[in-house]
């Protein structure tokens, strides 16, 4: 019997800050599940982080270990997943350079994700070239690991489209399917709003709960959350839509039935915000506590983390170099 | 006594075709001299060649060996110069990726060399991203070898300017001179016109004499050369300016005095074109014959060429990896 090979996932995070509950619910939690059914590569994307952080390399460096700690603390298991440091895999840079010859500047500029992010970052014409080129770098990442499944947010699907364009272009020129196309999977639970109710939880906006948050920090953040501004008395009927506390309960409360009942009760009237907030506080504290504790324990053992990174890089090098060699041979380029 | 370290030169050629007499007179000849006084790296620029040859990787591959043969045949000595294959040095790709974050798209588009070449190649908006980015790649090449002297054509000096901008930017951020600035040197003898008199000798224009040209090919090419269209009889006074045969004599005839006398005689009248052409034919045949013969002998021993390339790549890796490590450390990036 031949072993059935598992589908390959590539996922990862830019190393620009420690991860938070938004990352946990949006991606980390599912990675912990997916690693049992998929061959999963998790990329510490420090090279990509530099594309808009050239002035802050220290921040990018510092957060390599922070994000690695987050990964291990949530349960990404280096025996099941391969944690790879992007900058330690030269084949990714080499493939990026190669792919940049197969994509026009105009096509990169048309990428909706790039367009939006250029606007969001206020780059205008002063966009760093590395930032414009990052769709090619992402295509290099995805294809180097031969990933067929890439979990992304809704707004990132154009990047997967562009990757597949490059894959088809290369396969056509090579004359056979050297590279597989990739499929974007988007998380079941949409983007978690910040604790202030704004659309996105983000460290830079100060509305994030990090995975190292203490019980008090969690309680205080929940305490400040918006519910229904018209729900002044517990006896009043309340609104569930746009109610940040319910959004969080939907994301974190494992007891779906209980949440459904709470919603009905709240809408009818007679359910106070404090009851909801206490419930959410307990649930978030129970979610974060074991992560925080594992994180604290691991952070005292940097040697182990470094060993895990080294092992991951070694495995990552094997697959990425192999892919690069196949493309070089397929295109008929020179090799020594 | 400490040995005085020699200035470092980086030079090289895109591997898009065998080299010709224009290369010989414009750069190869001086490399053979410079290798005695400088530490010289000669780059087989196959990665750069791909920036506008993505559709023709076979051409780029084939010409790696052709150009290497040309180098050895003209007397570039692997014991004195290091011949490096660009695609075999991953640090160059890694440094390019890094540098792209320190230069804006607008700045790349403003580079006069890039502007002209985009126009010359008819790219318009469909310029491959790799082509737009090549000034950053060239900066990576120059700085990775810590070159301070870069021989270039007049039209290429903006690329050295852009390299030095990046050098200053990185040194400023790092807080010390990790990278040296480079100085462009332009050849004493200007660009050699094609045998048809057009401004540039170029294989693609069919007006080039390759370094493997036979005596007959040389004689035929000289025979077809324009002299002075108004110089109908040997007894007529003739013009020297714009006279392709004299341009070639200026470039190749080692006897400056004799050439000066010929010019005077020609201008006065009484000197026929055939005398000049015979002289030029003999000089070009004498220049090319030993190169052609060494080239033919070497081409029967591909193993030796491959060994030379491997040795060069090994030396090239040492210096380029070391530079990359210093920049990574200087910027405070993560390293395992």
């Amino acid at each position: 019997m031949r072993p059935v090979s598992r589908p390959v996932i590539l996922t990862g995070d830019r190393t620009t800050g420690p991860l938070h509950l938004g990352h946990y619910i949006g991606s980390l939690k599912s990675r912990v599940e997916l690693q049992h059914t998929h061959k999963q590569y998790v990329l510490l994307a420090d090279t990509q982080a530099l594309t808009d952080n050239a002035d802050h390399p220290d921040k990018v460096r510092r957060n390599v270990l922070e994000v690695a700690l987050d990964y291990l603390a949530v349960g990404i298991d280096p025996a099941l997943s391969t944690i790879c440091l992007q900058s330690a895999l030269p084949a990714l840079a080499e493939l990026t350079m190669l792919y940049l010859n197969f994509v026009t500047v105009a096509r990169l500029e048309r990428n909706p994700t790039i367009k939006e992010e250029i606007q969001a970052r206020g780059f205008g014409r002063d966009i760093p070239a590395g930032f414009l080129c990052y769709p090619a770098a992402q295509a290099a990442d995805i294809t180097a690991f031969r990933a067929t499944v890439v979990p992304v947010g809704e707004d990132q699907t154009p990047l997967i489209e562009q990757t597949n364009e490059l894959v088809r272009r290369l396969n056509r020129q090579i004359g056979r399917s050297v590279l597989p196309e990739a499929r974007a999977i988007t998380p079941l639970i949409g983007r978690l709003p910040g604790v202030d109710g704004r659309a996105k939880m983000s460290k830079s906006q100060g509305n994030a709960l990090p995975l190292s948050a203490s019980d008090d920090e969690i309680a205080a953040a929940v305490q400040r959350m918006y519910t229904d501004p018209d729900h002044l008395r517990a006896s009043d009927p309340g609104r569930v839509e746009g109610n940040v506390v319910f959004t969080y309960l939907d994301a974190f409360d494992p007891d779906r039935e209980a949440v459904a009942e709470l919603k009905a009760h709240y809408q009818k009237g007679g359910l106070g915000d404090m009851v909801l907030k206490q419930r959410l506080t307990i649930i978030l504290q129970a979610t974060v506590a074991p992560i925080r504790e594992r994180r604290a324990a691991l952070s005292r053992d940097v040697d182990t983390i470094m060993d895990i990174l080294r092992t991951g890089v070694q495995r990552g090098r094997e697959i990425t170099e192999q892919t690069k060699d196949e493309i070089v041979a397929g295109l008929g380029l020179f090799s020594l």
Side-chain angles (χ1 to χ4, degrees), chain A residues 9 30 34 38 148-154 157 160 183-187:
Chain A
I9 286 195
S30 69
L34 289 165
H38 291 68
T148 54
V149 181
V150 185
V152 290
E154 293 276 7
T157 51
I160 309 301
R183 190 166 52 85
I185 54 170
T186 48

Side-chain angles (χ1 to χ4, degrees), chain A residues 80-97:
Chain A
L80 297 172
S81 295
T82 304
I83 299 174
C84 282
L85 181 64
Q86 195 177 32
S87 66
L89 303 175
L92 300 182
E94 293 177 274
L95 283 176
T96 303
M97 292 284 290

Side-chain angles (χ1 to χ4, degrees), chain A residues 236-240 246 257-271 276:
Chain A
D236 290 344
R239 256 182 306 157
V240 163
F246 272 115
E257 255 178 64
V259 173
E261 277 167 30
L262 285 169
K263 283 181 181 173
H265 190 175
Y266 193 77
Q267 284 168 320
K268 207 177 65 188
L271 178 57
L276 292 179

Side-chain angles (χ1 to χ4, degrees), chain A residues 14 51 78 102 114 145 162 191 223 227 242 248 250 288 292 328 331:
Chain A
R14 292 155 44 96
T51 59
F102 290 91
I114 291 291
F145 289 99
Q162 195 155 10
R191 184 174 271 176
Q223 200 47 51
T227 52
Y248 272 63
D250 278 336
V288 170
R292 181 181 63 232
V328 163
L331 288 174

Side-chain angles (χ1 to χ4, degrees), chain A residues 6-272:
Chain A
R6 296 173 168 194
V8 178
I9 286 195
L10 179 71
T11 176
D13 299 276
R14 292 155 44 96
T15 61
T16 49
L19 304 182
H20 51 59
L21 278 181
H23 296 110
Y24 179 76
I25 210 72
S27 61
L28 297 175
K29 208 177 153 197
S30 69
R31 291 181 199 170
V32 175
E33 289 157 16
L34 289 165
Q35 67 186 342
H36 295 284
T37 48
H38 291 68
K39 193 168 172 64
Q40 182 170 256
Y41 294 96
V42 190
L43 206 54
L44 292 160
D46 59 340
T47 303
Q48 194 192 316
L50 272 180
T51 59
D52 58 346
N53 280 287
D55 290 334
H56 307 290
D58 50 320
K59 179 175 90 175
V60 173
R61 181 201 63 236
R62 217 171 43 240
N63 284 298
V64 167
L65 279 185
E66 294 297 327
V67 175
L69 275 173
D70 289 329
Y71 287 166
L72 298 168
V74 299
I76 292 178
D77 180 348
L80 297 172
S81 295
T82 304
I83 299 174
C84 282
L85 181 64
Q86 195 177 32
S87 66
L89 303 175
L92 300 182
E94 293 177 274
L95 283 176
T96 303
M97 292 284 290
L98 182 66
Y99 291 179
L100 283 173
N101 303 324
F102 290 91
V103 62
T104 64
V105 174
R107 178 64 186 91
L108 287 172
E109 287 173 343
R110 270 202 316 273
N111 186 307
T113 312
I114 291 291
K115 261 190 181 163
E116 274 171 35
E117 293 188 359
I118 287 173
Q119 210 155 20
R121 286 169 172 78
F123 277 143
R125 290 307 293 159
D126 287 336
I127 172 178
F131 192 82
L132 180 69
C133 294
Y134 100 66
Q138 202 144 351
D141 297 341
I142 293 168
T143 55
F145 289 99
R146 318 187 71 79
T148 54
V149 181
V150 185
V152 290
E154 293 276 7
D155 52 342
Q156 302 265 307
T157 51
L159 289 168
I160 309 301
E161 262 323 296
Q162 195 155 10
T163 295
N164 287 338
E165 266 178 47
L166 269 164
V167 164
R168 288 190 292 268
R169 171 75 172 78
L170 285 160
N171 285 343
R172 197 163 59 237
Q173 182 159 334
I174 292 173
R176 61 177 200 282
S177 281
V178 169
L179 297 174
E181 291 195 41
R183 190 166 52 85
I185 54 170
T186 48
L188 286 177
I189 295 167
R191 184 174 271 176
L192 192 69
V195 293
D196 60 357
R198 277 191 289 180
K200 190 181 174 182
M201 181 176 277
S202 156
K203 187 171 175 266
S204 62
Q205 302 210 17
N207 65 1
L209 272 174
L211 297 178
S212 57
S214 69
D215 281 355
D216 285 353
E217 285 168 332
I218 292 168
V222 174
Q223 200 47 51
R224 284 194 306 271
M225 275 182 190
Y226 289 107
T227 52
D228 171 2
D230 297 328
H231 186 246
L232 301 175
R233 278 174 303 252
S235 56
D236 290 344
R239 256 182 306 157
V240 163
E241 297 75 29
N243 186 318
V244 181
V245 175
F246 272 115
T247 307
Y248 272 63
L249 284 173
D250 278 336
F252 290 94
D253 195 326
D255 189 343
R256 324 303 310 152
E257 255 178 64
V259 173
E261 277 167 30
L262 285 169
K263 283 181 181 173
H265 190 175
Y266 193 77
Q267 284 168 320
K268 207 177 65 188
L271 178 57

